[in-house]
């Protein structure tokens, strides 16, 4: 089992008057690498990967409404594209003009959108268990909108109090995207906060609501085709069942400069069940080593 390294520090960024938090590793003078976590996770998602990438100064963000970052204002939805805006705002505050980026799941989708729209910034792109954002078929658009409208009006924002950290860890281990105990402990340590009577999730409950609109596959393929940076996609053998296989193959084909590596493990393999091989694959890619896997 890999133990998380404590040689790290916290940073905060003011984005439109609200805090975007980040966990950082290594010396600021090293090559820059931005890390973007998945849906309902937080910057601790990189607690095992980042320490091993010691040639880089790594800034792992908490997206708005996740981890230590502030929630969006009351009455405001969470749109995926708004996270891309936040990434650009943070990059400008860092003063980075060229950097590499690693994203997991939702973070990989956001990283792909950023790399497509702002190619001048990206040296290399690493996507773990994600190749563009989640989509929906056009004939479901009205259904998505209706579901979201009804759900939004009935939304109860009152947080649920969790009696103990152990209960939170068990809940995270058995969530929609299950993880092992160590991964759950790391994510929960940054993803909960103490209140009277126990803990609450720091993650904004609005993040669980359905989106009123979604991307379509044709759009996603257009974004992927626009990415100019050398890119690595790390897929898990026990990958998510959400993507249509043919759609995913079209996404891979759309990207003009993509290496694909498939590793044993599940969706959170970079913090859960195959950290060593993920570290090896990422290091090889950043060093310019190509693979036929």
């Amino acid at each position: 089992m890999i133990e998380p390294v404590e040689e790290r520090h916290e940073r905060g960024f003011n984005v439109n008057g609200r805090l975007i938090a980040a966990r950082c590793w290594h010396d600021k003078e090293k090559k820059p690498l931005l890390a973007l976590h998945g849906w309902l996770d937080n910057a601790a998602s990189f607690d095992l990967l980042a320490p091993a990438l010691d040639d880089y100064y790594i800034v792992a963000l908490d997206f708005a409404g996740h981890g230590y970052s502030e929630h969006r204002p009351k009455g405001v939805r969470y749109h995926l594209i708004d996270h891309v805006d936040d990434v650009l705002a943070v990059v400008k505050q860092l003063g980075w003009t060229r950097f590499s980026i690693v994203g997991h799941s939702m973070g990989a989708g956001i990283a792909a959108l950023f790399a497509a729209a702002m190619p001048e910034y990206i040296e290399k792109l690493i996507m773990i268990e994600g190749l563009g954002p989640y989509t929906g078929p056009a004939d479901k658009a009205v259904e998505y909108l209706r579901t979201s409208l009804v759900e939004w009006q009935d939304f109860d924002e009152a947080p649920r109090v969790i009696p103990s950290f152990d209960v939170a860890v068990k809940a995270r281990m058995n969530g929609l995207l299950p993880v092992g105990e160590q991964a759950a402990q790391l994510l929960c340590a940054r993803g909960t906060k103490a209140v009277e009577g126990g803990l609450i999730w720091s993650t904004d409950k609005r993040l669980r609501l359905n989106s009123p609109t979604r991307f379509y596959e044709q759009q996603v393929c257009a974004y992927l085709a626009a990415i100019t940076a050398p890119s690595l996609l790390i897929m898990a053998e026990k990958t998510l069942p959400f993507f249509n296989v043919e759609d995913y193959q079209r996404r891979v084909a759309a990207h003009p400069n993509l290496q694909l590596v498939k590793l044993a493990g599940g969706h959170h393999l970079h913090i859960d069940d195959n950290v060593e091989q993920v570290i090896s694959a990422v290091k090889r890619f950043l060093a310019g080593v190509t693979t036929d896997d």
Side-chain angles (χ1 to χ4, degrees), residues 2 16 18 48 59 71 82 87 89 99 119 123 128 133 147 151 163 167 185 198 220 230 244 274-275:
I2 292 181
N16 297 319
R18 293 190 169 266
L48 303 183
V59 176
H71 296 183
D82 293 336
V87 168
F99 61 95
E123 188 75 32
I128 302 172
T147 298
E151 191 178 52
V167 172
Q185 288 175 341
V220 173
N244 177 285
N274 202 351
V275 181

Side-chain angles (χ1 to χ4, degrees), residues 211-241:
S211 173
T213 59
R214 296 185 185 178
F215 290 96
Y216 302 136
E217 281 297 316
Q218 187 176 6
Q219 290 174 291
V220 173
C221 286
Y223 286 123
L224 294 172
I227 296 173
T228 58
S231 303
L232 173 68
L233 170 61
I234 298 176
M235 291 185 65
E237 288 182 353
K238 299 176 184 175
T239 192
L240 294 179

Side-chain angles (χ1 to χ4, degrees), residues 18 71-78 152 204 206:
R18 293 190 169 266
H71 296 183
R72 297 214 187 278
K74 188 173 182 178
V76 173
R77 295 180 186 271
Y78 282 85
W152 185 258
D204 195 329
R206 285 173 287 177

Side-chain angles (χ1 to χ4, degrees), residues 102-119:
V102 56
H104 169 248
S105 194
M106 181 186 79
I110 292 166
L113 292 175
F114 187 93
M118 311 296 291

